[in-house]
Amino acid sequence: MDSFRRFQDDDYKNWIKTTMGLNCLKTRLGGFLEHETETYHDHLRNKVNANKGDLCTTQCNLKKWMPRPKQVPQVCEVCEPWRDEIWANHSFKGGQVYWNNSKPYLWPTKKWEVAKVYMPRGNMDHTAVDQFDISAFLNLMTQCSYFAKFVKSKTLITQVTNVRNQVMHSADFRVEKRELESYLGRIKDLGQALKTHYPKFSELTEEIEQLQNTDFSFIMSCVGKKIVLAADKIPESMLKLQNFLSLEQQILKEKLECLSQRYEEDRETALTLEELQCVRVFLEGNNDLQKSLAPQWERLTEVQERVDTLTFRVDTLEMNTRTHGYRGRVQVRGQTFEGVQVCPKSKTAHQEVAKLALSQLAKDCASLSELANDTEEGEASSSQTDQPQSLSCTGPVFFGSVTVVLKTDITSGEGHSGMTEAVQSAYKKLALLLDLPESASSYKDVVLEHCHTRDVPPPEEAVQSDAEEKTYQCTLRFTGPITFYVPEGSSKKKQACQQAAKVALQRLSGVLGSKEVMGGNYVSTLKELLEAQTPQLDKPAYDVTDRGRGAGEVTERGEWRNVEG
């Protein structure tokens, strides 16, 4: 039976338990924030003396505001004191603040219009507590300084944010048992920290533990039964199934919408065609989901196609023989966007400048369609003169790398028929993480040789089997440095470091989890994710090479210090 096939997969059941655990937390956060956001709003009202009755008569609108680090939008005299107080209580002034989520003229009367400034993009039309997802709630608590008094360490919130991103941003719908225990533990820890401020959090731990021990046998026992009774006579087990499947469908819809938003926000972290195929296979293997999730799947594929179309509709590429690299330029609806990186290949330059244009202009699916239609066609060209053209790169080209010292477990997954197969599977995963070449013989030999040549301790192996010793699972505990390199050069040193951090975040997403990158600050995001690990990992070390001028390094604060060679 194709319907409900997913409930025969233990890892899917672990995935749905994790997402439902997040939903349990979200329900309580909603009640907590409904009250505390009101209190915060009253506090701001008193600060700006809003009781005197002044109202915005111009209906200030920030819909077209482009988020810029350390900048605030222009508003009228009535809205200005509200803007200043909201800004004063924002803890991430150096990143992108989504003022365009809100309507300034409603700040004095609507608490959620104020709260939305502290949330990620995509919340513009939400006006009530039940319309926000858990990501919006967690961002509000992280970025509004008013909420700092409720949780002593932001790490608790960051860890839950990582859980949410890991299960909602990945292409598969699977969580291993070890990960499930870790994820639910982080959710319970945040609930424990908040229970003194909102008593309903006291019930969260028990509810999570009941969820963790659920075997979902009631689902398979009810599947296929026809209900012909009156609504008030439907068996309790069937009502339980209906409620469960309704919540599951809501979660799956949210996941597909998250994947669509990843395409709109950052093409570099969006799903590959292979990952999209994984989502398609999942839906095709569960007939009961195909119809209910059809609109979300169609939107995801539509956005992916439109983004790919824009990616290759770049109108000018110019090359300078002095730097041997390309930069792109694209005109969209009368605006010109120029690439930042100097790329060795024209295709890379196409993608880089298209992504830059998208990050500024892609507000929603409708605007993406408008962009695809309005983008002006052009042609690629190269300049063979020593004189730099208007978009060519002059001066040095910087190449960045970052080294991260990991302390992580790599598991082969369950179900291997032999011990050697399980061990090789684990080493293959580690080899891919280390970016080692493929091996036709033994991935273990490749990894051990890598560790030996770099004076890194070899991984610790732990092999487990089931009671009958028919299936095996191998876990490798790896402790050591991994260096990530960026093949494309940049015209600025700090940009080279940002690109290196971005590569590390993409490659380590399965180890560190993921986190929203604010203001394009990949360096800061990587640092925060490393600090959020248990135990806390060391700060990454950056190195930047200036072609023809030797090497250099960047300090913790991103300051450049030249190293003479």
Side-chain angles (χ1 to χ4, degrees):
M1 177 181 294
D2 285 342
S3 296
F4 306 101
R5 177 188 294 176
R6 57 196 178 279
F7 292 106
Q8 299 173 6
D9 183 345
D10 287 340
D11 286 349
Y12 176 77
K13 289 187 280 189
N14 291 338
W15 182 85
I16 203 66
K17 286 179 182 180
T18 304
T19 55
M20 288 187 171
L22 288 169
N23 191 71
C24 294
L25 176 64
K26 178 206 164 190
T27 300
R28 289 165 176 79
L29 281 176
F32 168 70
L33 292 174
E34 180 73 39
H35 176 265
E36 292 302 331
T37 303
E38 184 75 40
T39 303
Y40 175 56
H41 190 252
D42 289 342
H43 167 72
L44 293 188
R45 185 195 302 276
N46 293 331
K47 289 277 287 185
V48 303
N49 194 22
N51 293 322
K52 61 184 181 181
D54 290 342
L55 295 176
C56 171
T57 58
T58 59
Q59 291 203 328
C60 294
N61 191 328
L62 303 178
K63 190 174 183 179
K64 295 183 179 180
W65 165 261
M66 292 291 186
R68 303 177 183 89
K70 300 182 180 179
Q71 292 190 29
V72 296
Q74 294 296 318
V75 291
C76 70
E77 292 182 356
V78 175
C79 296
E80 187 173 310
W82 279 93
R83 178 203 64 190
D84 293 344
E85 285 299 324
I86 294 171
W87 180 247
N89 286 276
H90 208 293
S91 60
F92 201 71
K93 297 182 178 68
Q96 289 185 337
V97 179
Y98 291 100
W99 295 95
N100 50 359
N101 270 339
S102 69
K103 300 177 178 66
Y105 65 91
L106 294 177
W107 286 340
T109 56
K110 303 294 183 181
K111 63 186 179 186
W112 290 111
E113 292 300 322
V114 171
K116 288 191 293 187
V117 178
Y118 303 99
M119 296 179 180
R121 62 176 294 180
N123 289 285
M124 183 183 299
D125 297 327
H126 299 165
T127 58
V129 66
D130 58 349
Q131 295 176 340
F132 299 100
D133 62 13
I134 191 171
S135 174
F137 287 159
L138 295 173
N139 273 270
L140 171 60
M141 295 184 66
T142 300
Q143 299 191 18
C144 180
S145 59
Y146 170 80
F147 294 97
K149 61 186 178 183
F150 297 109
V151 180
K152 293 182 179 180
S153 173
K154 283 188 179 181
T155 301
L156 290 175
I157 302 176
T158 301
Q159 288 181 337
V160 175
T161 301
N162 291 343
V163 172
R164 184 263 177 190
N165 291 343
Q166 190 66 29
V167 297
M168 299 304 285
H169 289 176
S170 61
D172 59 13
F173 298 78
R174 311 178 81 239
V175 167
E176 295 182 0
K177 183 178 180 181
R178 177 177 59 86
E179 294 172 324
L180 172 69
E181 295 172 353
S182 173
Y183 291 165
L184 295 183
R186 297 180 190 183
I187 296 171
K188 290 189 289 186
D189 288 345
L190 181 55
Q192 285 292 107
L194 291 170
K195 69 178 183 180
T196 56
H197 306 290
Y198 189 67
K200 289 189 177 181
F201 280 109
S202 301
E203 307 164 1
L204 180 63
T205 297
E206 181 179 354
E207 188 172 350
I208 293 292
E209 290 175 352
Q210 290 177 355
L211 180 63
Q212 187 170 0
N213 295 325
T214 300
D215 61 5
F216 297 130
S217 58
F218 70 92
I219 295 175
M220 302 311 297
S221 64
C222 292
V223 170
K225 293 182 180 178
K226 294 183 178 180
I227 301 300
V228 294
L229 303 174
D232 59 346
K233 295 182 180 180
I234 294 178
E236 182 179 351
S237 60
M238 292 302 296
L239 286 174
K240 183 179 180 182
L241 174 63
Q242 291 173 357
N243 293 334
F244 172 85
L245 294 179
S246 176
L247 178 57
E248 180 202 26
Q249 186 177 117
Q250 175 186 333
I251 291 170
L252 290 170
K253 285 181 178 179
E254 182 182 340
K255 178 175 176 106
L256 293 184
E257 289 167 358
C258 283
L259 297 180
S260 297
Q261 190 172 0
R262 282 179 61 188
Y263 268 104
E264 295 177 338
E265 291 183 347
D266 190 349
R267 182 66 180 86
E268 291 293 329
T269 64
L271 301 186
T272 64
L273 291 177
E274 291 78 8
E275 290 173 319
L276 276 175
Q277 183 63 18
C278 289
V279 179
R280 183 188 295 277
V281 169
F282 172 79
L283 294 178
E284 290 176 347
N286 293 274
N287 289 339
D288 58 303
L289 296 177
Q290 289 185 37
K291 184 176 181 181
S292 60
L293 298 178
Q296 287 73 29
W297 170 249
E298 289 174 2
R299 179 172 181 266
L300 174 60
T301 53
E302 180 184 2
V303 170
Q304 181 256 332
E305 290 169 359
R306 288 174 175 170
V307 172
D308 287 348
T309 298
L310 180 59
T311 300
F312 291 100
R313 297 179 72 175
V314 180
D315 69 345
T316 302
L317 286 169
E318 298 195 21
M319 181 177 182
N320 181 269
T321 56
R322 188 177 297 174
T323 58
H324 301 287
Y326 289 91
R327 275 193 185 180
R329 181 178 66 189
V330 61
Q331 289 186 350
V332 184
R333 299 168 68 186
Q335 297 187 54
T336 299
F337 298 88
E338 298 180 1
V340 176
Q341 300 180 44
V342 180
C343 305
K345 297 181 180 179
S346 61
K347 181 178 178 180
T348 308
H350 274 282
Q351 294 172 335
E352 190 257 349
V353 72
K355 185 175 76 71
L356 179 64
L358 275 175
S359 67
Q360 295 293 319
L361 298 175
K363 292 300 182 181
D364 50 34
C365 188
S367 64
L368 276 173
S369 177
E370 189 177 350
L371 292 179
N373 292 331
D374 289 351
T375 303
E376 298 177 7
E377 294 285 0
E379 59 183 11
S381 62
S382 65
S383 170
Q384 299 300 327
T385 174
D386 285 341
Q387 295 301 319
Q389 304 298 315
S390 59
L391 295 179
S392 59
C393 178
T394 59
V397 180
F398 299 100
F399 293 82
S401 65
V402 59
T403 299
V404 177
V405 179
L406 285 184
K407 298 176 183 177
T408 186
D409 290 343
I410 307 295
T411 180
S412 64
E414 301 176 354
H416 294 285
S417 58
M419 184 183 301
T420 301
E421 179 187 340
V423 171
Q424 283 296 330
S425 176
Y427 273 101
K428 180 178 180 179
K429 285 188 175 182
L430 181 55
L432 294 174
L433 179 63
L434 296 171
D435 200 21
L436 300 180
E438 294 187 8
S439 172
S441 54
S442 171
Y443 281 98
K444 180 175 180 178
D445 292 343
V446 173
V447 171
L448 294 182
E449 177 65 21
H450 171 83
C451 294
H452 175 72
T453 56
R454 286 160 178 77
D455 198 24
V456 174
E460 299 176 15
E461 294 181 19
V463 180
Q464 297 177 323
S465 64
D466 60 7
E468 299 177 354
E469 295 189 352
K470 291 184 177 180
T471 61
Y472 295 83
Q473 178 179 356
C474 175
T475 300
L476 301 177
R477 174 153 293 180
F478 178 76
T479 302
I482 303 179
T483 301
F484 302 94
Y485 298 91
V486 182
E488 295 85 8
S490 300
S491 59
K492 297 180 180 180
K493 302 165 188 175
K494 289 185 178 180
Q495 180 69 17
C497 290
Q498 292 290 350
Q499 292 299 321
K502 184 175 183 178
V503 171
L505 286 169
Q506 293 169 349
R507 292 278 306 284
L508 294 176
S509 61
V511 176
L512 303 180
S514 56
K515 183 179 186 296
E516 183 178 5
V517 179
M518 306 300 293
N521 194 342
Y522 297 95
V523 170
S524 177
T525 303
L526 177 60
K527 179 174 177 290
E528 291 173 7
L529 282 176
L530 292 172
E531 291 175 346
Q533 302 304 304
T534 306
Q536 179 175 312
L537 299 180
D538 295 336
K539 295 178 181 178
Y542 294 87
D543 183 82
V544 177
T545 300
D546 174 357
R547 180 184 291 171
R549 294 191 182 182
E553 60 184 9
V554 176
T555 65
E556 293 175 9
R557 297 182 180 179
E559 298 169 352
W560 173 257
R561 183 168 67 247
N562 192 45
V563 179
E564 300 294 339

